Amino acid sequence: MSISVVIAEPASAQRDAVVSLITAAPDQHVVAVAGSREGAGDLLRRLIPQVAVVDVRLLSFSDFLFRGWGPVYRYTRVIAIGPEDDQAVAALLIAKGAAHYLCRAHVEDQLCEAIRNVTAQGRGSDR
């Protein structure tokens, strides 16, 4: 079964690159893309994909990572992508609900495997 993924990335070139990576993976498929936080929230609530790949600029750092995204927190694993390879940033995002943090420099060689890993971790616990 193919892993359903929503991409939320404000920069079109980076969004296209992420879509290409996932499309090339035989076990993953992109169900939708968004360029804004509001657009991502709408897509995630409607589609409830297994994984959301989200640029950190679209995440809320106050209170609850998915504020306003409704049931997404329970059913969708979020992989946050950020500009720096920083353990403190990764720990903060994971503490707020992300399943994984990935530095943009490592997206090309680690994203598809990260999607597989976070999906496998979520099986049985909340699906």
Side-chain angles (χ1 to χ4, degrees):
M1 189 166 119
S2 186
I3 302 167
S4 60
V5 182
V6 165
I7 309 300
E9 167 62 61
S12 63
Q14 292 171 337
R15 187 170 54 241
D16 292 346
V18 171
V19 169
S20 293
L21 285 170
I22 294 169
T23 302
D27 60 338
Q28 301 167 23
H29 68 281
V30 176
V31 293
V33 296
S36 70
R37 184 174 184 2
E38 297 76 19
D42 178 58
L43 289 172
L44 292 170
R45 279 190 300 276
R46 276 192 299 115
L47 301 173
I48 309 179
Q50 292 167 280
V51 177
V53 177
V54 183
D55 184 280
V56 295
R57 294 172 288 184
L58 300 181
L59 296 173
S60 168
F61 287 91
S62 63
D63 259 352
F64 187 54
L65 185 63
F66 309 108
R67 173 169 269 157
W69 284 7
V72 172
Y73 173 70
R74 292 187 59 206
Y75 302 108
T76 299
R77 298 287 182 227
V78 172
I79 296 175
I81 296 178
E84 50 202 36
D85 199 359
D86 185 329
Q87 293 292 0
V89 170
L92 171 67
L93 289 164
I94 290 168
K96 289 186 174 277
H100 189 72
Y101 174 79
L102 192 56
C103 174
R104 188 158 308 281
H106 302 295
V107 166
E108 188 172 337
D109 55 331
Q110 295 179 8
L111 179 60
C112 291
E113 188 62 29
I115 290 170
R116 289 180 194 103
N117 290 341
V118 300
T119 302
Q121 291 168 2
R123 287 194 185 128
S125 64
D126 60 2
R127 285 233 175 238

